[in-house]
Amino acid sequence: MYEYNEKVFVNTKDLAMSIIGGKYKIAIVWALLQRPVLRLSEIERILPDINQRMLIRQLRELERDKIIIRIIYPVVPPKVEYQLTDIGLELSSIVKNICDWGDKFWSRIGKNSIN
């Protein structure tokens, strides 16, 4: 048994899925792998389907789990940047494999689906 953030997990696979699961977390990590430092407005442009409230929630969870760091600059107006931590950078090959799988899936199955 593994306890993390007041939740108990049967195995580390479930723990990992809890950390990176969710509709937008992989997309946020992917965006930060493309451009290592991003501001909130830049992430919003890259991921236009996510509303700001959900984006901020996902960013906070990723920060809590040490996947990203938030850097706040003491200027007016406030400047906030996000970047991957060393732990977050370790997701690089995983995210790449997920994206590659998505490409293969689309070429085999998706093109034939009815929208």
Side-chain angles (χ1 to χ4, degrees), residues 2-9 15 18-19 61 64-66:
Y2 303 88
E3 186 174 338
Y4 179 73
N5 279 341
E6 301 177 10
K7 293 180 187 174
V8 176
F9 299 92
L15 171 62
S18 172
I19 302 297
E61 289 177 12
R64 176 198 68 204
D65 294 328
K66 310 290 190 251

Side-chain angles (χ1 to χ4, degrees), residues 61-77:
E61 289 177 12
L62 288 167
E63 183 182 12
R64 176 198 68 204
D65 294 328
K66 310 290 190 251
I67 304 299
I68 65 171
I69 56 170
R70 179 174 49 136
I71 302 164
I72 303 168
Y73 295 94
V75 295
V76 176

Side-chain angles (χ1 to χ4, degrees), residues 27-39:
I28 293 167
V29 171
W30 175 84
L32 287 165
L33 286 167
Q34 306 309 302
R35 291 186 46 204
V37 178
L38 290 170
R39 296 182 70 178

Side-chain angles (χ1 to χ4, degrees), residues 17-57:
M17 291 306 297
S18 172
I19 302 297
I20 62 170
K23 188 171 180 179
Y24 299 105
K25 288 182 180 178
I26 293 292
I28 293 167
V29 171
W30 175 84
L32 287 165
L33 286 167
Q34 306 309 302
R35 291 186 46 204
V37 178
L38 290 170
R39 296 182 70 178
L40 181 65
S41 61
E42 293 171 316
I43 299 171
E44 288 176 314
R45 277 194 294 279
I46 294 168
L47 307 173
D49 293 342
I50 184 172
N51 67 50
Q52 190 178 64
R53 182 177 174 196
M54 178 58 76
L55 176 57
I56 290 170
R57 180 177 172 193

Side-chain angles (χ1 to χ4, degrees), residues 80-94:
V80 178
E81 294 178 337
Y82 296 91
Q83 54 188 188
L84 292 169
T85 62
D86 289 342
I87 295 170
L89 288 168
E90 290 175 8
L91 291 169
S92 176
S93 62
I94 294 165

